[in-house]
Amino acid sequence: MKILVTGGAGYIGSHTCVELLNENYDVVVLDNLSNSSEESLFRVKNITGKSLEFYKADLLNKKQILAVFSEHKIDGVIHFAGLKAVGESVSIPLKYFHNNITGTLNLLAVMNDFNVKNIVFSSSATVYGDPASLPIKEEFPLSATNPYGRTKLMIEEILQDLYHSDKNWNIALLRYFNPMGAHKSGEIGEDPCGIPNNLMPYISQVAIGLLPQVSVFGNDYDTPDGTGVRDFIHVVDLALGHIKTLPKLFTNPGLVIYNLGTGIGYSVLEIIKGFEAASNKKIPYKIVDRRPGDIAACWADPTKAKEELGWKANKTLADMCKDTWNWQKNNPNGYGESL
Ligand code: NAD
Ligand code: UFG
């Protein structure tokens, strides 16, 4: 069975490629390397001892997508490729709409032409906006609070319309909560460009000495310690969620939606403490103003994925912190020069 992985050189994509190869899928990666490095794919091959095909190609270039489908008989697509920085999406929304939506439309058009109608889409907990209650279930109301989130919501709607027009499509919308951690080998991990926006890469860059201290965005939320609470999920658990989704997709389920989260919320201060324990380093931090657009708390009800996919996140906060630190200390500059 051959799977096309768009965005496969990126953080979640590279971890998913490892698990796909471990399960003996044939893997073709399409990535324009706009936020990643081919080095991640060399390392995927090292970890698994298996090879994959890589196309440096852009979803905005339909001819390049056509070339991949002409050269391979693809059975299904896992579609990770997209831009994901929330703040940047507010400053340059047109770039986000063009890249994420036009890129997806190009991909879907080529899939349709080649009669490849099985797709897993990387959606996000951001589509729930500021939830009225917790934990979050898949049927909760949806809304977007920034252009990045709107691209996720719009793509979900496009995929719903596509399915309603042609019931031969099988579509899984996977709504990820907050991925962190790295492969236990320390060979692949998250390698953000510039100063990280997200909590975990920021903490690990403080631990390694690249940044002086963590700014904790607000301690006056209605949460146990006043700091934001999120459902942090180990990236390998997340990758395994895709492995459990594929067989489901090949049973012709139509359009299905799953939360991929742990069901547990940890606060920013709990994450800092967890990282201190894993790294044996003091993480200096200061409390600053809330970050505009942040919500107080967010965690999943992952029951549906457990019941219908037989998937459940197994790794602990200690695993996530230990594996992030292992990646960071082995690769203080991430994938280095090649980025
Ligand atoms: P990432 O930036 O590491 O990976 C995305 C990959 O897509 C990169 O390798 C990038 O080069 C590639 N890409 C972007 N635009 C492309 C285009 N036009 N053509 C070809 N390749 C392109 O991000 P990630 O954290 O691995 O996220 C993967 C997916 O999961 C994204 O769609 C993201 O929005 C979604 N997601 C991520 C998170 C998170 O916190 N990391 C949470 C929820 C959802
Ligand atoms: N935080 C800090 N300091 C930082 C960074 C973050 O205190 O330097 C706090 C935030 O205020 C929040 C928590 O840490 O309370 C998590 O923030 P992240 O930026 O790591 O993650 P978000 O929950 O804001 O958003 C992330 C992705 C979104 C995705 C969402 C759900 O950035 O794209 O998870 O999957 F939609």
Side-chain angles (χ1 to χ4, degrees):
M1 187 100 24
K2 194 174 271 192
I3 306 298
L4 172 65
V5 184
T6 76
Y11 173 46
I12 307 171
S14 55
H15 287 81
T16 303
C17 286
V18 167
E19 303 306 330
L20 285 168
L21 292 168
N22 284 343
E23 290 294 315
N24 293 320
Y25 286 98
D26 293 323
V27 175
V28 179
V29 168
L30 180 161
D31 199 304
N32 65 2
L33 304 182
S34 59
N35 195 38
S36 54
S37 156
E38 195 180 350
E39 177 64 20
S40 65
L41 296 175
F42 298 136
R43 297 188 184 192
V44 166
K45 293 178 200 170
N46 282 344
I47 292 169
T48 59
K50 293 185 179 162
S51 64
L52 54 76
E53 292 258 7
F54 173 57
Y55 287 77
K56 183 170 188 289
D58 197 319
L59 290 180
L60 294 176
N61 185 330
K62 216 167 164 181
K63 280 194 187 137
Q64 294 183 348
I65 311 175
L66 273 168
V68 177
F69 280 79
S70 309
E71 288 164 29
H72 297 274
K73 199 199 151 299
I74 302 293
D75 295 291
V77 176
I78 305 183
H79 178 33
F80 291 109
L83 298 174
K84 64 165 184 177
V86 172
E88 191 183 61
S89 81
V90 175
S91 341
I92 44 172
L94 295 182
K95 184 173 176 188
Y96 272 67
F97 288 122
H98 186 49
N99 189 75
N100 292 6
I101 295 178
T102 312
T104 301
L105 291 175
N106 285 341
L107 172 68
L108 293 172
V110 175
M111 289 177 70
N112 199 55
D113 289 349
F114 281 79
N115 202 28
V116 178
K117 296 187 174 175
N118 300 310
I119 185 167
V120 179
F121 172 61
S122 298
S123 190
S124 164
T126 193
V127 299
Y128 295 113
D130 193 354
S133 65
L134 294 165
I136 298 172
K137 290 177 180 295
E138 286 83 352
E139 58 274 16
F140 272 27
L142 306 179
S143 66
T145 51
N146 56 67
Y148 163 72
R150 212 172 316 282
T151 69
K152 292 292 170 197
L153 204 48
M154 289 168 91
I155 294 168
E156 285 204 4
E157 288 171 347
I158 288 167
L159 289 167
Q160 301 261 12
D161 285 344
L162 182 62
Y163 173 65
H164 289 306
S165 75
D166 176 357
K167 298 283 182 332
N168 291 313
W169 280 87
N170 293 297
I171 299 170
L173 308 180
L174 299 184
R175 295 180 181 150
Y176 312 153
F177 282 69
N178 290 56
M180 65 184 226
H183 190 265
K184 64 178 185 318
S185 63
E187 289 275 310
I188 56 172
E190 186 168 13
D191 183 18
C193 281
I195 304 218
N197 298 305
N198 297 116
L199 180 64
M200 198 59 187
Y202 205 104
I203 292 176
S204 62
Q205 292 200 7
V206 170
I208 203 79
L210 291 171
L211 294 167
Q213 63 183 354
V214 179
S215 296
V216 174
F217 298 141
N219 66 349
D220 56 352
Y221 285 107
D222 185 13
T223 60
D225 66 19
T227 65
V229 168
R230 295 291 183 275
D231 185 335
F232 294 95
I233 174 167
H234 197 294
V235 66
V236 172
D237 276 332
L238 195 59
L240 290 169
H242 295 74
I243 302 302
K244 291 286 191 185
T245 302
L246 284 176
K248 173 83 178 176
L249 207 61
F250 294 123
T251 63
N252 299 322
L255 188 141
V256 289
I257 306 176
Y258 299 105
N259 284 340
L260 295 187
T262 63
I264 302 167
Y266 287 109
S267 74
V268 174
L269 293 181
E270 285 175 312
I271 299 295
I272 292 176
K273 285 199 185 70
F275 203 87
E276 287 183 333
S279 63
N280 209 18
K281 298 252 177 197
K282 185 89 198 124
I283 310 289
Y285 70 86
K286 67 170 177 195
I287 308 290
V288 301
D289 287 347
R290 291 181 179 193
R291 184 170 63 179
D294 273 354
I295 58 174
C298 167
W299 66 88
D301 180 342
T303 311
K304 193 175 169 211
K306 186 171 180 213
E307 286 177 358
E308 296 187 15
L309 302 177
W311 172 88
K312 171 176 171 295
N314 288 314
K315 293 186 184 280
T316 63
L317 176 60
D319 296 326
M320 297 187 231
C321 293
K322 179 180 69 148
D323 292 339
T324 303
W325 177 235
N326 187 36
W327 152 254
Q328 183 73 67
K329 74 177 180 335
N330 289 335
N331 306 271
N333 299 311
Y335 293 113
E337 296 305 317
S338 41
L339 195 66

